[in-house]
Amino acid sequence: MEKNMDRTIITVVGKDTVGIIAKVCTYLSEHQINVLDISQTIVQGFFNMMMIADMKHSDQPFDQCAKELELLGEDIGVNIKCQREEIFHKMHRI
């Protein structure tokens, strides 16, 4: 698998409410962050989403985006975390 320094893993977890995906994707779009892949499930009222996003053309550095997404999550009642893809792979290597 090709490693890409600009790819980010974004996870969103919390109680399901209307508009979670829309609000996260709106933020990403406003900052020129492209969604490459997305998976979401709802289990007994709990929302779980994982995205792979390309930050190559982002107008903000990774750390600022990660913090702003975390704050967005607090505003909408979910937990949003971002990890650089290479860090994610290193943490989950067997």
Side-chain angles (χ1 to χ4, degrees):
M1 178 177 223
E2 178 184 331
K3 303 243 176 164
N4 184 333
M5 299 292 283
D6 298 315
R7 288 175 25 155
T8 300
I9 308 298
I10 301 169
T11 57
V12 182
V13 178
K15 191 170 184 325
D16 186 36
T17 59
V18 173
I20 296 171
I21 296 172
K23 289 174 184 169
V24 173
C25 288
T26 296
Y27 174 88
L28 297 176
S29 174
E30 288 172 350
H31 296 287
Q32 290 74 53
I33 299 169
N34 187 36
V35 176
L36 301 173
D37 201 357
I38 183 172
S39 173
Q40 65 92 27
T41 58
I42 300 168
V43 177
Q44 296 185 8
F46 291 97
F47 179 88
N48 185 31
M49 177 170 68
M50 182 174 170
M51 306 171 93
I52 301 174
D54 184 355
M55 296 189 65
K56 184 183 322 181
H57 301 292
S58 177
D59 61 3
Q60 298 182 55
F62 171 83
D63 292 337
Q64 184 175 348
C65 288
K67 183 62 178 165
E68 289 180 2
L69 281 166
E70 187 176 327
L71 292 172
L72 173 64
E74 290 174 11
D75 288 344
I76 61 177
V78 296
N79 186 328
I80 302 177
K81 297 292 180 198
C82 298
Q83 286 183 293
R84 296 177 196 266
E85 183 182 49
E86 66 270 17
I87 301 299
F88 185 85
H89 282 299
K90 288 177 183 176
M91 287 178 54
H92 294 90
R93 191 176 0 175
I94 297 176

